[in-house]
């Protein structure tokens, strides 16, 4: 049986990735652990379910929003008995035209040794900053009040202001998007003129009332900093002359920039915060023998840390004799940190990474205005002979003077 619909809002726009983006799919890529979602034609896309989940999640956490308001828009199914209804919001899949992708490594740090935790190493594919995502959704309205509700309008305005993030690792530098070129039309089903407009794909333009919107309270900080010495996060790939290359990421205009991922910055801040709290509380670091359990034990149980930095999902008892997955999304989000004073073309970076000799490498660096970036050699010393240890000589490309 069809339900009564008086009108509907057709909403279109473009979501522009302010930071890299990862929306996962079935693992079709043997190179990475966490691959991107792909459609049946092998093209990257953002599933409508992912977009809808992000929008509904934001609404659920919005100030003053009631469960009944959420269920009225998105539908619900009662645990027992009849009732409920399907969602009045229909979100379309979003095809991605860009074919540029990047690989980001992730690793857990053992709190005792300060080195990579055993068994906590993974990598994920991401779409770079600047990726454009076509947004198309429909709000079907049974009484001409649902689409224009304060909750629906606030959500569109939150998309415009970049408050809603998509995909994974949202608090670690990924997923921040901003809505551009928003267009809203209303299609009237209650009149002959409105029905003709709808059949032509037309409608009456809707102007959003942005004055009455109620944004969530939040605090943002932007820090401009310059390292005293060379600072880099290692890229997965190696160069011909250099063993360890700094991580680069695509930015506006298709150029590349050195980047410190939000995950690295957040990890450093979390490590320091845990050290402070353990010192104040005189609390030892758990030293479990099982490698994976050891890391998970080290990252839980501290007050404030979970609320600020989040907590990984794990299976726990819900108190009713059953086990369910529980996790916690932290309130602190840290974006990727891009070099401001140096931008490289893909061709320049290719020349640097494929240089066969140190002289060619230095010339390529000079041509890219990286005069202060240098190849540094490292070697381990054999404790018996006092000479270079066999097999422990390597070089890194160290960025210097980067803002």
């Amino acid at each position: 049986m069809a339900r009564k619909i008086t009108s509907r809002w057709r909403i279109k726009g473009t979501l522009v990735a302010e930071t890299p983006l990862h929306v996962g799919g079935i693992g079709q890529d043997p190179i990475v652990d966490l691959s991107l979602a792909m459609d049946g034609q092998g093209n990257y896309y953002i599933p409508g379910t992912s977009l809808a989940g992000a929008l509904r999640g934001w609404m659920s956490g919005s100030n003053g929003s009631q469960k009944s308001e959420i269920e009225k828009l998105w539908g619900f199914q009662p645990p027992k008995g009849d009732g409920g209804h399907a969602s009045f919001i229909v979100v379309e899949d979003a095809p991605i035209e860009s074919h540029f992708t990047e690989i980001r490594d992730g690793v857990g740090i053992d709190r005792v040794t300060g080195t990579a935790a055993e068994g906590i190493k993974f990598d994920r594919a991401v779409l770079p900053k600047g990726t454009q995502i076509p947004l198309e959704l429909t709000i079907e309205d049974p009484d001409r009040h649902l689409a224009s509700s304060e909750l629906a309008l606030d959500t569109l305005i939150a998309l415009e202001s970049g408050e809603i993030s998509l995909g994974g690792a949202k608090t670690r530098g990924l997923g921040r998007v901003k809505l551009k070129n928003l267009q809203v039309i209303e299609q009237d089903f209650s009149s002959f003129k409105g029905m003709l407009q709808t059949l032509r794909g037309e409608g009456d333009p809707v102007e959003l009332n942005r004055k009455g919107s109620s944004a969530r309270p939040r605090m943002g900080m932007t820090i401009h900093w310059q390292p005293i010495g060379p600072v880099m996060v290692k890229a997965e790939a190696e160069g011909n002359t250099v063993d360890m290359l700094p991580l680069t990421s695509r930015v506006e205009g298709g150029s590349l920039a050195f980047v410190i991922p939000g995950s690295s910055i957040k990890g450093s801040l979390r490590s320091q915060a845990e050290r402070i709290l353990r010192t104040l509380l005189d609390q030892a670091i758990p030293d479990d023998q099982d490698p994976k359990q050891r890391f998970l034990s080290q990252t839980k149980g501290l007050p404030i840390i979970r609320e600020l930095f989040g907590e990984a999902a794990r299976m726990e008892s819900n108190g009713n004799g059953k086990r369910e997955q529980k996790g916690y999304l932290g309130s602190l989000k840290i974006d990727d940190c891009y070099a401001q004073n140096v931008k490289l073309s893909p061709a320049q970076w290719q020349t640097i990474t494929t240089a066969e000799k140190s002289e060619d490498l230095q010339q390529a660096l000079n041509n890219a205005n990286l005069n202060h970036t240098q190849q540094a050699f490292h070697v381990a010393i054999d404790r018996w002979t006092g000479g270079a240890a066999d097999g422990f000589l390597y070089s890194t490309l160290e960025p210097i003077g980067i803002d």
Side-chain angles (χ1 to χ4, degrees), residues 220-226 265 269 337-338 340 403:
M221 291 177 286
T222 301
I223 301 172
H224 298 278
W225 60 287
Q226 184 183 57
I265 302 173
L269 295 178
C337 184
Y338 293 88
Q340 297 297 304
D403 294 329

Side-chain angles (χ1 to χ4, degrees), residues 152-185:
L153 293 178
D154 281 352
T155 304
L156 293 178
I157 295 170
L159 280 171
E160 285 188 314
S161 61
E163 291 186 42
I164 301 178
S165 299
L166 302 177
K170 290 187 286 289
T171 65
R172 290 176 285 163
L174 303 185
R176 186 161 62 83
V177 296
K178 185 173 287 189
L179 180 61
K180 308 283 187 180
N181 306 321
L182 175 62
Q183 297 178 343
V184 183
I185 62 171

Side-chain angles (χ1 to χ4, degrees), residues 79-252:
K80 296 180 180 179
D82 297 330
H85 62 82
S87 173
F88 285 108
I89 301 180
V90 180
V91 185
E92 305 294 338
D93 291 344
I96 304 295
E97 294 184 1
S98 172
H99 296 286
F100 294 109
T101 61
E102 299 172 356
I103 304 297
R104 292 291 178 88
D105 289 313
V107 63
I109 300 299
D110 189 290
R111 269 44 176 183
V112 175
T113 64
T115 59
E118 185 178 349
I120 313 295
K121 167 70 172 69
F122 61 93
D123 50 27
R124 72 171 82 229
V126 300
L127 296 167
K129 178 181 180 180
T131 298
Q132 297 191 1
I133 306 160
L135 175 68
E136 185 172 347
L137 60 91
T138 303
I139 305 179
E140 299 176 336
D141 207 329
D143 54 14
R144 303 198 75 130
H145 295 292
L146 194 62
S148 60
S149 67
E150 182 179 348
L151 187 58
L153 293 178
D154 281 352
T155 304
L156 293 178
I157 295 170
L159 280 171
E160 285 188 314
S161 61
E163 291 186 42
I164 301 178
S165 299
L166 302 177
K170 290 187 286 289
T171 65
R172 290 176 285 163
L174 303 185
R176 186 161 62 83
V177 296
K178 185 173 287 189
L179 180 61
K180 308 283 187 180
N181 306 321
L182 175 62
Q183 297 178 343
V184 183
I185 62 171
E186 182 178 14
Q187 296 176 330
D188 181 15
F189 293 169
S190 62
S191 68
F192 180 73
K193 177 185 175 183
M195 288 298 294
L196 286 179
Q197 278 187 315
T198 301
L199 291 172
R200 296 190 191 104
E202 302 170 353
D204 297 323
V206 176
E207 291 294 331
L208 300 186
N209 179 20
R210 292 172 171 80
K211 294 182 180 179
S213 64
S214 55
R216 292 191 198 181
R218 59 176 182 167
M219 179 177 65
M221 291 177 286
T222 301
I223 301 172
H224 298 278
W225 60 287
Q226 184 183 57
I228 297 174
V231 173
M232 62 168 279
V233 168
K234 180 184 177 299
E236 182 179 81
E238 297 180 355
N240 288 351
T241 302
V242 182
D243 299 306
M244 295 187 182
L245 295 170
L247 182 65
T248 61
S249 184
R250 189 173 291 267
V251 294
E252 294 82 356

